[in-house]
Amino acid sequence: MTNQADPAASVIARAQSIVEDLTFAEVTRWKREHTGALAVGYMPVYVPRPLFEAIGCLPVAVFGGGDRTDIIRGDSYFQSYICHIPRSTIELALSGALAPLDGMIFPSTCDVIRNLGGMWKMLFPERYGAYLDLPQNLTPALGGRFYAEELRRIARELEARGARPLDAAALREAIAAENARRALIDELDELRRSKPWLLRASEAYVAVRAGTVLPVSEHVALLGELLAALTRREVRAYDNVRVVITGAFCEQPPLGLIRTLEKSGCDIVDDDLQLGLRMIEQPITVGADTDPLVALAEAFLKNGAATACRYIDKAVKGDALIAKVRAANAEGVIFTAASFCDPALLDQPMLERALTSAKIPFTSFKFAENTGQYQTIREQAGAFSDSVKLWGGTP
Amino acid sequence: MSRLSEPRTTAGIDVGTSFVKVAVVRSRGGDEGELLATAVSRIRRRALREVVSALFHEACASAKIEPDALDYVATTGEADAVDFRTGHFYSITTHSRGALFLVPTARAALDIGALHARAMRIDERGKTLAHRMTSQCASGSGQFLENIARYLGVPLEDVGMISKRAKTPEEVSSICAVLAETDVINMVSRGLATEDILKGIHQSIAGRLASLVRAIGSDSVVALTGGLAHDEGLVLALDERLARDAAKRGSNAITLVTPKHAVLAGAIGAALLGARRHHQLAIRGALLPSLSVVAPAAHAPEQP
């Protein structure tokens, strides 16, 4: 069987090559086509991409070096007991791979990303670097005002470096485009829930992640092409276990690991991988009289996902995970956190308690972005899948 | 009799590193089973999908059942080569179930395959309660023993019998396959008897296997499965090692049982678990994926 006859193969292969390209060739191409425009990198988990698009910048997600980067210099900048992504990001930066980026945004994901922002400023003082403090107070009057001001600050700082001035009409347009993208991602997610055999999680993953280095218009085209191809795709369904994976919202597991879970008899029907593009769970609504920047800020407050790097009152995150499992009609949860990921691993016991109360089986393991041996994970996922399938997840 | 408890015919396909094994079983919900047909073939250098397909059809013909009439086709091992499967089970799960079917008194199974060895403690349903397996190192595996047999110029099927004749087994100093192979070459150069070399190798492997059995806390009947279960020299070495360990610890002696179809345990277990799964889904009113064994659609994507 060859992929040549698969109507979705070429678009998935294209997305994968974009995801795996650590030279950011797509960014270089975009800059060639948009002379003088800025490409602004950002670390996971979330930055409001429409803000950057509205001021003529290309927001580019930097997910570290993955499993294809040898860490030589990166290790000397960070202690051994933290996650992998900052080391490989420094490695990329020092090797020149991030040269197409005119600056970097470091959102308030955790202390490690904050420290990475400090490193960036010391190593590359001539390049733009900003820490984006996301609000932990979720009231519009306080957190919303603060956040909108943070966004205005970044827009002003980028304008000083050549970006367009922030303009309400352009921001409305960018938000509308983001909503269009979000609707297509929702369609993919719905397809994964209803027909997981038609689009595997590993395929959806590259298709969505490719959009983190493309302008929204190009990503919308790519997703549209994929959805159209999927209507013509004929594949065989297998009797797999439906699982939700959670915990890998920042540092990303290698593609091989996601495929290993699929090989172990799991249909991954929902996940929080590369959460950024799915952070806002509803369309961003901008009333006729509303400042679109305020709408963008409030969307984060009101409709931001209940993820570990946001402070939310207790029980809410557990309830959100259970709701996700129920909505996806999943039979179990696999906690997939990056080693030493403080936010994910601190939230995990709370989420496990919620799942135990709801009688939802779960298992957990940790990974690093450069994990290369999957045998143990395959063994664990296989045992979990069989346990759910045959014994209802009971010991 | 309710329709749900009617006997079902299911197939299990165990795609291993060296062999493909197929079993067709008729059972009620995977609990009581009758082995209808089996087929085993070494892969050698043939196209794996072709080997699987031919063997599967051979087993179906032998069981006098049309492939499309099977209620569930379950794979274990490397499922990628079986596009027409209904579902897949992990090899630890299937060997546990298959071991119980083959040795109903067993409460543990030791699967000794071409690349790995695994010990499982099981309950009366064949469910795995605990398991341990060898690491990436090949020194506890069938492939390692096959390499040694080749160096010594001994047919693989004679290895066990020759090993049993050993009088002064030569200890293999390393637990690493590469170094152990070097040891063997040195032993041959020193003119040591083939049976003493083989027994030394068997004792080395038995030491690793005994550790696995101890680690799962088994103290009862252990069913041996996988290709090496029929190596009588290895089984003797393992039996001696376990008896020595039990005497040292004052614990119960472990009984090793090699069933006739030891090599088919994974395939049999997969078939029985397929029937169990079919039964459970039927109770829930859930639909199974369709069971066409014709060539897959030309534009189906490659499986991960």
Side-chain angles (χ1 to χ4, degrees):
Chain A
M1 177 187 345
T2 67
N3 269 345
Q4 288 172 340
D6 175 3
S10 68
V11 62
I12 290 169
R14 183 156 28 104
Q16 185 170 333
S17 75
I18 293 171
V19 166
E20 290 180 342
D21 175 23
L22 292 174
T23 67
F24 294 95
E26 287 293 330
V27 179
T28 305
R29 174 188 61 83
W30 181 86
K31 289 184 74 170
R32 209 168 39 239
E33 292 169 1
H34 299 80
T35 312
L38 304 178
V40 182
Y42 65 91
M43 295 303 294
V45 175
Y46 167 76
V47 302
R49 293 177 63 97
L51 174 78
F52 298 90
E53 297 242 0
I55 59 174
C57 297
L58 176 64
V60 179
V62 176
F63 285 105
D67 57 354
R68 296 177 313 283
T69 303
D70 287 332
I71 310 296
I72 298 162
R73 285 171 288 183
D75 275 341
S76 62
Y77 288 81
F78 292 96
Q79 62 272 41
S80 57
Y81 48 85
I82 61 161
C83 57
H84 208 268
I85 188 172
R87 312 161 197 284
S88 62
T89 303
I90 286 285
E91 191 70 35
L92 289 181
L94 292 173
S95 68
L98 301 185
L101 305 179
D102 299 289
M104 281 291 291
I105 306 286
F106 300 88
S108 64
T109 300
C110 65
D111 289 347
V112 170
I113 298 297
R114 180 193 289 264
N115 290 345
L116 179 63
M119 296 275 185
W120 175 272
K121 286 182 179 175
M122 284 193 292
L123 287 168
F124 307 104
E126 73 291 355
R127 291 163 80 181
Y128 180 68
Y131 184 73
L132 172 59
D133 221 346
L134 297 170
Q136 301 297 329
N137 181 312
L138 302 184
T139 57
L142 199 60
R145 210 175 112 210
F146 164 79
Y147 184 36
E149 198 42 53
E150 273 289 275
L151 299 184
R152 279 193 195 95
R153 171 183 67 85
I154 284 175
R156 276 196 309 272
E157 288 172 357
L158 286 170
E159 186 186 341
R161 288 173 176 260
R164 288 201 301 257
L166 181 59
D167 167 77
L171 185 53
R172 278 176 189 276
E173 205 176 303
I175 288 173
E178 189 62 39
N179 284 340
R181 183 223 304 266
R182 190 70 177 85
L184 294 175
I185 293 175
D186 282 348
E187 270 190 61
L188 283 185
D189 287 345
E190 177 50 36
L191 201 57
R192 282 175 55 198
R193 285 190 292 266
S194 60
K195 295 178 182 170
W197 58 89
L198 202 54
L199 178 70
R200 290 194 304 277
S202 53
E203 297 172 327
Y205 174 79
V206 293
V208 175
R209 183 168 153 182
T212 64
V213 295
L214 295 174
V216 65
S217 55
E218 290 183 25
H219 193 217
V220 162
L222 184 145
L223 293 175
E225 190 185 335
L226 174 61
L227 281 160
L230 291 174
T231 62
R232 304 191 304 276
R233 197 181 213 190
E234 289 177 23
V235 285
R236 185 182 166 83
Y238 296 118
D239 177 26
N240 286 342
V241 165
R242 298 168 64 89
V243 299
V244 168
I245 65 173
T246 187
F249 43 82
C250 179
E251 182 174 321
Q252 295 298 287
L255 204 50
L257 191 152
I258 303 172
R259 289 178 176 149
T260 295
L261 296 180
E262 293 171 335
K263 257 185 158 181
S264 306
C266 298
D267 282 335
I268 302 167
V269 289
D270 206 343
D271 62 71
D272 64 352
L273 297 167
Q274 47 166 357
L275 186 59
L277 291 182
R278 295 186 294 171
M279 183 72 177
I280 309 299
E281 294 185 323
Q282 304 285 330
I284 302 165
T285 50
V286 189
D289 302 325
T290 313
D291 177 348
L293 192 73
V294 171
L296 193 59
E298 292 195 357
F300 177 78
L301 304 183
K302 293 176 185 166
N303 298 319
T307 185
C309 51
R310 291 181 79 198
Y311 173 76
I312 307 175
D313 254 351
K314 60 184 176 185
V316 172
K317 290 178 187 173
D319 291 346
L321 179 57
I322 291 168
K324 189 187 259 195
V325 170
R326 304 267 192 249
N329 196 21
E331 297 161 276
V333 170
I334 300 180
F335 287 98
T336 315
S339 289
F340 301 109
C341 175
D342 278 352
L345 294 170
L346 285 171
D347 266 16
Q348 193 170 314
M350 180 172 69
L351 299 176
E352 288 181 357
R353 273 198 300 279
L355 293 178
T356 303
S357 303
K359 296 186 166 47
I360 297 169
F362 60 87
T363 189
S364 62
F365 59 78
K366 294 191 275 294
F367 70 89
E369 60 179 348
N370 64 344
T371 296
Q373 291 289 337
Y374 306 126
Q375 179 60 31
T376 311
I377 288 169
R378 189 174 178 188
E379 190 181 326
Q380 192 176 339
F384 178 69
S385 154
D386 286 354
S387 159
V388 171
K389 218 189 244 184
L390 296 163
W391 317 103
T394 57
Chain B
M1 187 194 307
S2 92
R3 207 178 148 272
L4 284 177
S5 58
E6 280 175 19
R8 299 281 171 190
T9 308
T10 55
I13 305 175
D14 180 1
V15 183
T17 313
S18 300
F19 285 85
V20 177
K21 292 82 77 176
V22 180
V24 180
V25 170
R26 190 152 178 80
S27 73
R28 291 181 202 282
D31 289 334
E32 305 158 27
E34 177 196 355
L35 192 54
L36 299 183
T38 63
V40 179
S41 178
R42 185 182 266 276
I43 299 165
R44 298 190 195 278
R45 289 176 186 164
R46 293 177 290 165
L48 186 55
R49 285 170 194 275
E50 287 169 21
V51 176
V52 168
S53 178
L55 211 61
F56 173 69
H57 283 90
E58 179 191 324
C60 287
S62 193
K64 297 186 174 50
I65 186 164
E66 288 299 319
D68 281 339
L70 288 166
D71 291 302
Y72 201 106
V73 178
T75 52
T76 191
E78 293 301 320
D80 294 7
V82 194
D83 298 309
F84 55 85
R85 69 185 182 274
T86 318
H88 178 77
F89 301 107
Y90 191 49
S91 43
I92 282 179
T93 316
T94 55
H95 275 268
S96 293
R97 182 64 190 94
L100 182 75
F101 175 84
L102 295 170
V103 185
T105 54
R107 289 297 174 268
L110 181 62
D111 166 40
I112 322 166
L115 274 192
H116 297 288
R118 312 169 173 95
M120 293 80 75
R121 186 156 54 80
I122 61 179
D123 68 11
E124 71 289 350
R125 301 168 295 173
K127 183 184 177 189
T128 311
L129 301 177
H131 76 272
R132 289 286 188 281
M133 65 188 289
T134 47
S135 58
Q136 300 291 332
C137 177
S139 60
S141 71
Q143 188 60 56
F144 167 60
L145 198 61
E146 200 170 322
N147 291 350
I148 297 295
R150 197 168 56 245
Y151 297 149
L152 295 174
V154 172
L156 192 58
E157 54 275 19
D158 294 345
V159 163
M161 185 189 62
I162 296 171
S163 163
K164 284 171 80 177
R165 294 201 303 253
K167 291 190 177 60
T168 50
E170 185 71 10
E171 190 180 340
V172 177
S173 58
S174 172
I175 56 164
C176 165
V178 175
L179 297 180
E181 286 175 15
T182 309
D183 276 355
V184 169
I185 293 166
N186 288 338
M187 290 175 196
V188 172
S189 310
R190 283 159 51 206
L192 294 180
T194 302
E195 55 263 36
D196 290 338
I197 298 173
L198 284 174
K199 179 78 177 192
I201 293 290
H202 276 149
Q203 286 176 333
S204 161
I205 297 175
R208 291 170 71 87
L209 299 179
S211 302
L212 294 179
V213 173
R214 276 200 308 274
I216 58 164
S218 172
D219 61 354
S220 57
V221 176
V222 177
L224 299 179
T225 68
L228 284 193
H230 290 300
D231 181 331
E232 49 194 308
L234 176 62
V235 176
L236 176 65
L238 179 59
D239 203 28
E240 290 167 349
R241 177 59 184 259
L242 289 171
R244 208 165 52 241
D245 287 353
K248 209 184 288 178
R249 291 159 194 267
S251 54
N252 292 340
I254 291 173
T255 308
L256 300 177
V257 179
T258 302
K260 180 182 160 200
H261 291 303
V263 75
L264 283 152
I268 293 169
L272 289 167
L273 294 172
R276 179 182 175 86
R277 178 71 174 162
H278 183 280
H279 182 68
Q280 289 174 331
L281 291 174
I283 288 171
R284 281 193 236 158
L287 289 176
L288 273 172
S290 64
L291 277 182
S292 167
V293 289
V294 295
H299 47 277
E302 283 181 358
Q303 290 305 309

